[in-house]
Amino acid sequence: MTIAEWCVFGTLMLYLMTIASVKWISFRQFDNSRPRDPGFYQDPIRARALGAHQNGIEAFPFFAVAVLLAEFRLGPQNLIDELAVLFLIVRIAYVFTYLGNRPTLRSILWSLGFAINIAIFFLPALRAYLPA
C-alpha cells in the first residue's frame, strides 16, 4: 500500500474518532439505544464534535476518489503521497479548530484541504508539466 492509501485510511479513522471519542468520554450521558438523540448534542463541545464528524463524512469521498484516481492514472506517486499526508495533517488541524471553536481558522483550513484535494485530483493531467 502507498502512503497516500494509508492517509485515506487515516482520514476515515479521523472522522470516526471525532465522534466516538466524545461519546466515549460522555458514556454516562450517551444512550446507545438512541445514538442520534439531539439532546446529547446540546453541549457545545459535543455539537462541534458532531459538526466535525459530519464534515469529515462530506470530505472523505472526494479525497479517497482523488487519491485512487491519481494513482490509477499514474500521477507522480511521491507528490500524491506528500499531498495526501498534507491533507491528513490539515484535516487533523481542522478537527482541533472545530472543537476549539475557531471558525475563521477552521474555514481557512477547510479551503486549504479542498485545494489539496483538487491538486491531487488533477495530478495525472499535469503529469507532463511536472519534473520527472
Side-chain angles (χ1 to χ4, degrees):
M1 286 181 64
T2 66
I3 292 170
E5 291 163 0
W6 280 109
C7 289
V8 169
F9 178 73
T11 303
L12 173 75
M13 294 309 295
L14 176 64
Y15 87 71
L16 291 175
M17 291 309 298
T18 301
I19 198 68
S21 61
V22 172
K23 289 179 179 180
W24 184 75
I25 290 169
S26 306
F27 72 95
R28 293 194 191 271
Q29 293 92 19
F30 180 70
D31 181 4
N32 198 39
S33 64
R34 296 175 40 208
R36 296 178 190 220
D37 178 21
F40 178 76
Y41 299 103
Q42 294 297 320
D43 177 72
I45 190 80
R46 293 179 197 158
R48 290 193 300 271
L50 178 62
H53 169 73
Q54 290 170 336
N55 185 268
I57 292 170
E58 295 163 2
F60 178 77
F62 182 35
F63 175 62
V65 167
V67 166
L68 295 176
L69 176 73
E71 289 184 342
F72 180 72
R73 291 292 179 190
L74 302 177
Q77 189 62 52
N78 61 332
L79 195 50
I80 296 168
D81 289 342
E82 291 167 359
L83 288 172
V85 168
L86 184 59
F87 177 80
L88 183 55
I89 291 168
V90 166
R91 286 303 300 183
I92 291 168
Y94 175 87
V95 168
F96 281 115
T97 57
Y98 211 129
L99 294 174
N101 198 22
R102 308 288 290 189
T104 303
L105 182 55
R106 183 183 82 218
S107 295
I108 291 168
L109 290 171
W110 184 93
S111 299
L112 182 59
F114 188 70
I116 293 166
N117 266 344
I118 290 173
I120 294 169
F121 186 85
F122 284 107
L123 277 178
L126 301 173
R127 178 179 51 214
Y129 303 103
L130 298 171

